[in-house]
Each structure stands twice: as structure tokens, then as C-alpha cells.
Amino acid sequence: MRRSEFMSDRINVEPRSVMLLRRLTYLAPIVWMVPFGILFYLFQLAPMLWVLLNSFVYEGEIGLENYIEVLSSPFMIQAFGNSLWLSIWSSLFGLTIATLLVSSLRRVDCKIREGVIAFTNMSSNFSGVPLAFAFIIILGTNGAITLLLKQHGLLGDFDLYGKWGLLAMYTYFQIPLGVLLLYPAFDALNDDWQEASVLLGASSCQYWLKVALPILFPALLGTLVILIANAIGAYASVYALTSGNYNLITIRIASLVSGDLFLEPNLAAAISVLLMLLLTFVAVINQWLVAKSYTVAKPRK
């Protein structure tokens, strides 16, 4: 009887220990997430809440005067327009070049492909002040390529410090990011589809227009949205290149926060909120496109 009681107690104890172990296993990831949650609050949520609350403060009172001032100022509207113009066109050019590059990488040797991807990873981190300095040396007023092209009459009134120079620099740092985002998307294409289209009498252009691009369209559009968001938030490169003399929305925010004569952090907070709303809209579109691309890529049963 004693042995049977001991065995029954042992049977009752083992499930409890197993249940406790399972609970600890479930709680472990939550415990590891606590430091991340603290950092996320301190460096993401807390600054966003501060910016949001202070954007409604105008001369010590609560109101919408900051937003009215931003939306009624031609200077601020021009800053938003310049930022959107640079972001959209540099993203379109960068996406086109990245698409052609990734499409070519699928046809080259594996070692060359790995080398190009490694170089792309490295160049994607080459931004900010070093990138602006490199462009000044190469395409500045007395840059090496600038003098060479002007010598042969191939370069007119190109100004690196104007909108076309900024467009060239923005396009440059958009290309590596576009390549890294599009490279996995091209795995959805099957080489047999192109061979089948050729056997059916389709040309290369017809294959790309009617087969490849419809499949890649969600990924292409999603990449375009991310590139636009990446360009809108760029600050260090354009500031180092133009010393803040070109009217962009990130330059205006910095001047209102760090300026000695025009220190208006609440107005800068209102501009930041509008910029966050714009980037949130971009992020929502991107998530919808990513979900759509997964639906298209899912095999039919």
C-alpha cells in the first residue's frame, strides 16, 4: 500500500513540475523582452509623446497655432515640396537602376554576384558627411569629374549644391538599399517561365511586361515606398553638402531646434508630427503591399 501511495504521489507531482517548467519556458521570452521594451520606450515612445504634446503648445497655451503657422507658411510648404520632389524622383531613379542591376545579377557567375552584394552592403552604410565629402571631391565646383566633363563640353551649368546635385546624391544612396530590398524578391521568378514564354512566341519585352513585372509589382512598389521614406528623413548628407542653405523639411526642423535666433522647439515639434504622419502613411502602404506580395507568392492548392 505504501508503495502504491508513493507511486500515486509521484504521478501527481510530475505533471505539476512539467507545468511549472512550461510556464517558465513561456515567461523566458517575455523576460528577455523587458530590456528592449525599456529602450523602446525611452528612445522611441517617450520622444514621440514629447513631440506630440509640445506641438500643441503655443506661447504657454494649448492650441493649433503651430500647425496653422506651418500649413499657412509658403516657406514651410516649399520645404515639404522640395523634400517630396527629391524623395520621389531619387526613389524612381534608384529603383530603376536597382531593378536592372538585380536582374543582371541573376545571370552572372556566383562569385561576381557575391562580390557585388558585398559591395552593396558596404556602400549602403556610406552616407552622411563622408558621402557629401566624396561628392564634393568628385562633382564639386573643382571636382575631378566636373573639370574633366567641362573640358570636353559634356557638362553645362551643373551645380552640385542645387537640386540636381542633391538629386544625384540622393539617387546614389538609394541604389544600394533598393538592391538589398529587391534581391530576395527576384527569387519569385522562375527561369522556366521565360523559356516557356519564348516557346510560345513571346519576346523578351512581352515576358517582362506580362509575366515578370506583374509578379514583382508588389515588391517594386513596396521598395519604392521604403525608398521615399528613406529619402524624406535624410539630413546629414544634405546639411554637410549645402550647410543648411537648401530648403528641406529636415533642415527646417534642425534650424528651429538648434538655432540661436529662431529657437522654436514647439513649431519644430508640429513640423515633426506632420512628417511622422506622412511617414506613417508611407509605412501603412508598405505593410499592405508586403501582405499583398505574400498573397501573390503563395502557391495555389
Side-chain angles (χ1 to χ4, degrees):
M1 291 294 293
R2 290 181 180 178
R3 183 169 181 175
S4 61
E5 291 177 359
F6 174 76
M7 291 299 294
S8 62
D9 292 339
R10 185 178 178 184
I11 292 173
N12 292 331
V13 169
E14 284 183 351
R16 292 177 183 175
S17 61
V18 171
M19 290 176 63
L20 181 61
L21 183 61
R22 288 179 179 176
R23 289 179 181 177
L24 293 176
T25 304
Y26 291 144
L27 289 175
I30 299 175
V31 173
W32 286 110
M33 287 289 289
V34 170
F36 172 76
I38 295 173
L39 291 175
F40 183 76
Y41 172 78
L42 292 176
F43 295 100
Q44 293 288 337
L45 292 181
M48 287 176 62
L49 289 174
W50 185 93
V51 168
L52 181 62
L53 293 176
N54 282 270
S55 66
F56 295 100
V57 178
Y58 183 79
E59 295 183 354
E61 298 180 356
I62 304 298
L64 298 174
E65 284 79 3
N66 290 322
Y67 292 97
I68 295 173
E69 183 176 349
V70 172
L71 297 176
S72 61
S73 171
F75 191 60
M76 293 298 179
I77 297 299
Q78 184 192 45
F80 274 104
N82 290 340
S83 295
L84 286 173
W85 186 88
L86 279 174
S87 302
I88 292 173
W89 283 108
S90 65
S91 300
L92 288 173
F93 291 146
L95 180 67
T96 302
I97 297 172
T99 303
L100 295 174
L101 180 57
V102 173
S103 177
S104 302
L105 285 177
R106 290 172 51 86
R107 308 296 179 186
V108 299
D109 184 67
C110 182
K111 292 184 179 179
I112 300 177
R113 188 187 310 124
E114 291 176 356
V116 172
I117 294 298
F119 175 77
T120 304
N121 276 319
M122 180 186 66
S123 58
S124 64
N125 296 314
F126 185 66
S127 60
V129 178
L131 177 61
F133 180 67
F135 265 79
I136 291 172
I137 293 175
I138 296 172
L139 291 173
T141 306
N142 295 313
I145 297 180
T146 303
L147 295 176
L148 182 64
L149 293 176
K150 284 185 176 180
Q151 227 175 18
H152 295 83
L154 300 176
L155 191 65
D157 297 329
F158 176 77
D159 183 16
L160 178 63
Y161 311 102
K163 69 175 183 178
W164 298 110
L166 289 173
L167 180 61
M169 186 177 67
Y170 271 57
T171 302
Y172 174 82
F173 70 71
Q174 296 281 53
I175 295 173
L177 180 60
V179 170
L180 294 177
L181 291 173
L182 286 178
Y183 187 77
F186 271 74
D187 290 337
L189 295 179
N190 194 335
D191 293 336
D192 295 338
W193 297 343
Q194 187 170 8
E195 295 176 1
S197 63
V198 171
L199 291 175
L200 293 173
S203 62
S204 180
C205 292
Q206 288 176 326
Y207 163 74
W208 280 102
L209 289 174
K210 296 185 178 181
V211 179
L213 287 180
I215 295 174
L216 295 173
F217 179 75
L220 290 173
L221 201 53
T223 302
L224 177 64
V225 170
I226 294 176
L227 293 180
I228 291 174
N230 179 55
I232 288 178
Y235 168 71
S237 299
V238 64
Y239 184 82
L241 187 66
T242 64
S243 300
N245 294 323
Y246 194 80
N247 191 19
L248 292 178
I249 197 61
T250 50
I251 299 295
R252 297 282 67 81
I253 293 173
S255 65
L256 291 171
V257 172
S258 60
D260 295 330
L261 299 176
F262 304 101
L263 183 61
E264 299 184 55
N266 295 331
L267 184 60
I271 301 173
S272 301
V273 170
L274 293 175
L275 185 60
M276 284 192 294
L277 290 175
L278 183 61
L279 293 177
T280 301
F281 175 72
V282 169
V284 169
I285 293 177
N286 176 58
Q287 291 299 321
W288 177 74
L289 290 170
V290 168
K292 186 176 179 181
S293 65
Y294 284 146
T295 303
V296 172
K298 187 177 180 179
R300 296 180 180 179
K301 294 183 179 180

